[in-house]
Amino acid sequence: MTQLEDLQRIASEETERRQGCRHRLCVCIAAGCVSSHSDQVQASLTNEVKRRGLEGQVEVRPVGCMGLCSAGPLVQEETSGVLYQHVRQEDAAEILDSLDAKPVERLRCDSGQPFFRRQQKIVLENSGVINPHRIEDYIAAGGYEALVQALTSMKPMEVVEEVIRSGLRGRGGGGYPTGLKWSTVAKAGGDKKYVVCNADEGDPGAFMDRAVLESDPHRVLEGMAIAGYATGADMGYVYIRAEYPLAIAHLRTAIRQAKKMDLLGNSICGTRFNFDVELRLGAGAFVCGEETALIASIEGGRGQPRPRPPYPAQSGLWGKSTLINNVETFANIAPIIRRGGDWFASIGTAKSKGTKVFALAGKIRNTGLIEVPMGVTLREIVFDIGGGIPGGHRFKAVQTGGPSGGCIPEQHLDMPVDYDSLREIGSIMGSGGMIVIDETSSMVDVAKYFMEFCMSESCGKCIPCRVGTHHMHGLLEKILEGHASAADVAQLEALCDMVMHTSLCGLGITAPNPVLSTLRHFRGEYEGLLQPAGGNGHASPSPAGGA
Amino acid sequence: MPIGPFKPAPPSDDKRWKIVAGTMRRHGETPNALIETLHTVQETFGFIDKDALRFVAGSLRVPLSKAYGVATFYHHFQMKPKGEHTCVICTGTACYIKGVPELLAVMRDEFGISPGETTADNRVSLLTARCVGACGLAPVAVVDGDVMGKLTASQLRERVGRCVRDDAA
Ligand SMILES: Cc1cc2nc3c(=O)[nH]c(=O)nc-3n(C[C@H](O)[C@H](O)[C@H](O)COP(=O)(O)O)c2cc1C
Ligand code: FES
């Protein structure tokens, strides 16, 4: 049985243990840094500490993502805050030598640069700080307090109200008000309900959810358990893509640890609340991120969507009322319960509250993971935090929302980033992938890239999406090869309109977005590729040109 | 009374079928366990062949046609054995913007394989992935589990070339 006092005892033991160590070296072991061999760095630092007999004085702690993936492997000395980049295993001795002396200048990474300074962390507050393999680390950072608080001093409806008050909107892309969804499920009848965490992260160029799960898995489990209590569900599933082996491993460990401490399972914290969590692995199908397809996949079938309504909140897994939220959405829950909905609502803009995690990549100096308050401008993200475009190239556009999103050109860089502003200019917030494109890329090619993606990921159930994406892809190829005329562009636009309005699920409905947004902002690039058919080769204005 | 539940025997006495049976048991041997079981088959055998599919479908009481439908719907499930070496090229957005087409061209022109194919001598299979989550290091390929970031065409040529030659000796 775990009570608030137990958590506090674990937390203070943990703090004491840590303070026993004079120096604490944090090594990023999330997938980004592991790809540049941070596991070897961790091993050689640990060996070097052992060799020098410094155990108990110097802690080498594996931690989650520190954000600046392009400078990995990253190592940070916690007490002094000194950050090292591109560390190699050979550097271990030098780093240890430096602990009581001057930092190793050769490896220094400026931790005061705008990349770090301009961020505000809620979801990632523990990323790069705690050891994701240890539940004690999470508890020492205030973990599971919110769950115990909800279970022992709040009624389920009060939890829902707190989430409503926070103004949190779904981070999976749609931006649906989370509190509203919770209250629908809470009010739904039935003997059994489910909570599902959508960790399918299908946008090809986004890794926010992966980083959260690798860096701080307990935070997501805690959010799910609180959701279970608030809605009356006793079973949760995390649907996670098989391509994320590290995140899967960390989650498995976390579930085991939480069960052992009665923070998951039966009679959580000695109350009558039961909540169990199991993993279900995706198998490489983008459409399975769509909630009804995801449900079909958990049930063991082909991941094909079905028409809504009924929404999963009414009839989901095995026909029962089911709450589906994204990883990042759940990751926001514990802080909201701990610090109150009003606190959360004080961050961000009028209609988009809190922060958003973005995966910054493409032609940009600082690639990696960032968390910023809603409402910052794209310019701040690209030029201050991201450090601008490398190689003396010119900024051309930033792509948000992946295959369902659009490209935002330079003239909109000063627009605040929130759900509604992005939609207004023909893109979407999406789940948080942000790809910067410079003048060397053709926007028509970018549109073709996403269309190729949608074409091969279409599940084939409805004809507009299955056949429409194929034809649009063909037309884009024809344009790129220089064989197309203005009539082809007109046909492309007509197809966009048709697929958007007649497809069954979000995949088809949004598949034309990358084409429409590039046509809207970079029409000249399309026209430059056309054959001068008869007259002057100008494409005729089409009714489908708008957002 | 119809005949009681019929449990098919494993396709062979290979010990690994016990692992597969274990997964099915853990999930209560219901049709819901189909995808989890296919994951186990692929993990233990490297791919899912017809015998495996028949065994799994029979054990979980799923029509073989449905099991086949599910196995072929998901990109992750491989119905053919892979070559001795695998090269996975990330075709996610960040990697694409940073030059995946050149990498695919190397594989096609120098080694004669397109995504999903294996060289005739069975040495190297080429697969693609939609973002392996290392966008900061784009473009990325994973050769035999080894992640190679900021990859150039010549580095890829050299690395895959080694796979082809190594065992040729
Ligand atoms: C084609 C398609 C793919 C999607 N992929 C994802 C995904 O990878 N992750 C996700 O959280 N939501 C995804 N969604 C959105 C989900 O359907 C659902 O709205 C979301 O998980 C709800 O959680 P939220 O309210 O917390 O955002 C996708 C939707 C569509 C139409
Ligand atoms: S797009 Fe290649 S690693 Fe993300």
Side-chain angles (χ1 to χ4, degrees), chain A residues 204-207 361 435 449, chain B residues 90-96 100 129-140:
Chain A
F207 51 93
I435 309 280
Y449 168 79
Chain B
C90 175
T91 56
T93 318
C95 290
Y96 184 80
V100 163
R130 299 285 193 189
C131 190
V132 297
C135 312
L137 305 172
V140 175

Side-chain angles (χ1 to χ4, degrees), chain A residues 204 210 283-284 297 301 303 362 367 445 449, chain B residues 74-76 91-93 96 98 133 136:
Chain A
R210 193 211 73 214
S297 184
T367 50
D445 189 55
Y449 168 79
Chain B
Y74 294 97
H75 304 305
H76 184 73
T91 56
T93 318
Y96 184 80
K98 289 210 167 175

